[in-house]
Each structure stands twice: as C-alpha cells, then as structure tokens.
C-alpha cells in the first residue's frame, strides 16, 4: 500500500532544507530513490545551465572586445 513520505535534505542542524519533497511510495527506500532521481536530474540540468551561461558570458565578452567567435563562410 502506497504512503506519502516527506523527504528533506539539509546541510547541518538548524538550517532550512535545501530540498523538501512529498512523494508517494510503498517503502522508504522507494521514496528515497524517487527523490535521488529528481536531485540527479536537477544536478544535470544545473550543469547544463552553468555551461550555457559560461558560453554566453564568454561570447558576449569576445564581441565587446571586437572578436568574432564564428564567422560565416560565403
């Protein structure tokens, strides 16, 4: 029988949770796995955003300095 589980991730005592998720699962282990999978997806998405953001800043800086990153070949 499925139950609701509140999973909270904290760094140290007395701090607000970094992640607080309510999931439905049959067991505590299944609930933890669901939250872990979500956290891993979030981590991958954050890494992609970081890389995209770094590329955007790098490109903008090059353009401002008069450099062209990619030139169209005619």
């Amino acid at each position: 029988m499925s139950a609701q589980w509140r999973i909270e991730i904290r760094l140290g005592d007395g701090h607000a949770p970094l992640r607080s998720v309510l999931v439905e699962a049959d067991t505590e282990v299944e609930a933890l796995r669901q939250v872990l999978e979500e956290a891993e997806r979030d981590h991958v998405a954050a890494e992609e955003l970081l890389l995209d953001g770094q590329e955007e800043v790098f490109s903008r800086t090059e353009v401002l300095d008069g450099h062209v990153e990619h030139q169209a070949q005619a």
Side-chain angles (χ1 to χ4, degrees):
M1 178 174 188
S2 186
Q4 287 190 334
W5 300 83
R6 167 74 59 191
I7 308 294
E8 292 187 344
I9 310 299
R10 298 174 183 263
L11 287 177
D13 292 333
H15 292 100
L18 297 173
R19 181 181 300 265
S20 180
V21 181
L22 185 64
V23 296
E24 286 201 28
D26 292 333
T27 65
E28 179 183 10
V29 172
E30 185 181 324
L32 289 168
R33 281 191 182 121
Q34 288 179 28
V35 174
L36 176 60
E37 288 171 1
E38 181 181 321
E40 287 174 335
R41 283 191 303 270
D42 291 347
H43 180 72
V44 168
E47 284 181 338
E48 289 174 0
L49 285 175
L50 178 61
L51 291 175
D52 289 346
Q54 289 173 337
E55 179 67 22
E56 177 64 27
V57 170
F58 182 71
S59 297
R60 192 175 334 120
T61 302
E62 283 189 326
V63 170
L64 291 174
D65 288 343
H67 299 96
V68 178
E69 186 174 350
H70 303 287
Q71 293 183 1
Q73 299 289 329

